[in-house]
Amino acid sequence: DSGVTQTPKHLITATGQRVTLRCSPRSGDLSVYWYQQSLDQGLQFLIQYYNGEERAKGNILERFSAQQFPDLHSELNLSSLELGDSALYFCASSVGARNTGELFFGEGSRLTVL
Amino acid sequence: AQSVTQLDSQVPVFEEAPVELRCNYSSSVSVYLFWYVQYPNQGLQLLLKYLSGSTLVKGINGFEAEFNKSQTSFHLRKPSVHISDTAEYFCAVSFSGNTGKLIFGQGTTLQVKP
């Protein structure tokens, strides 16, 4: 158990819909990262938040947005969903803003868009 | 551009045989290097990391890796594999800067056969 909690574990929805994925980091970790894992793209970095502020941005679509709340949990919002958004979405956390140690990963949220 | 390449998508090997999973990176700045393992239906777990110092690093489950700066490689090795080592292995790089994001390779599936 990494200490990172993601909900829901599985989600099935239709094209055009909007979903929210939630992540609670390990106790004491201030950074939260979101990754998308798909068969064709592999593990793609989406975005990092550190103590409530956006720290780094990767290949995140404009239809996607994220935020980190004062209690440090984070939400990833995916809107106008397309079939190609079907993937496993991972949240990870770390103590600091810069990774000189380890990212702790949750078990992921599997999104299926029909 | 900064990138990570895992040269083998699948590596089949018999139990108790040695294995090497290859990883090369491209970067113009200093890097930190990691190997993560993903068991089926689970999140990623850190195997080992290189931050500085000795270029040979030892990790969990008997794995080790060697950082070769001149060849920009960070290959993962284990002298004798077990059935339980069957999993997806990811090489990852963190570049110096003010972010902790990791860039992952495409992954290598290690298939240990009895």
Side-chain angles (χ1 to χ4, degrees), chain A residues 38 60 66:
Chain A
S38 60
I60 188 166

Side-chain angles (χ1 to χ4, degrees), chain B:
Chain B
Q2 298 157 335
S3 64
V4 180
T5 302
Q6 291 182 242
L7 299 165
D8 306 295
S9 59
Q10 292 187 351
V11 174
V13 63
F14 286 105
E15 194 173 18
E16 298 184 6
V19 70
E20 178 181 81
L21 307 183
R22 297 179 293 168
C23 173
N24 286 88
Y25 68 92
S26 173
S27 174
S28 57
V29 299
S30 299
V31 298
Y32 303 125
L33 297 157
F34 305 81
W35 275 97
Y36 280 80
V37 60
Q38 183 180 25
Y39 298 104
N41 301 314
Q42 293 187 26
L44 281 75
Q45 177 185 359
L46 181 70
L47 272 179
L48 49 79
K49 62 186 178 186
Y50 171 79
L51 303 182
S52 64
S54 174
T55 56
L56 182 64
V57 293
K58 295 187 183 298
I60 63 172
N61 301 339
F63 284 93
E64 63 180 33
E66 186 160 17
F67 170 54
N68 188 319
K69 188 174 182 180
S70 62
Q71 297 187 4
T72 60
S73 68
F74 191 55
H75 300 334
L76 180 71
R77 302 185 183 98
K78 186 170 183 178
S80 175
V81 295
H82 302 287
I83 295 288
S84 59
D85 292 324
T86 295
E88 185 88 11
Y89 290 80
F90 292 93
C91 179
V93 179
S94 175
F95 303 99
S96 62
N98 65 350
T99 171
K101 71 178 184 182
L102 290 178
I103 303 299
F104 285 89
Q106 285 293 97
T108 297
T109 301
L110 177 63
Q111 301 165 324
V112 181
K113 304 176 181 180

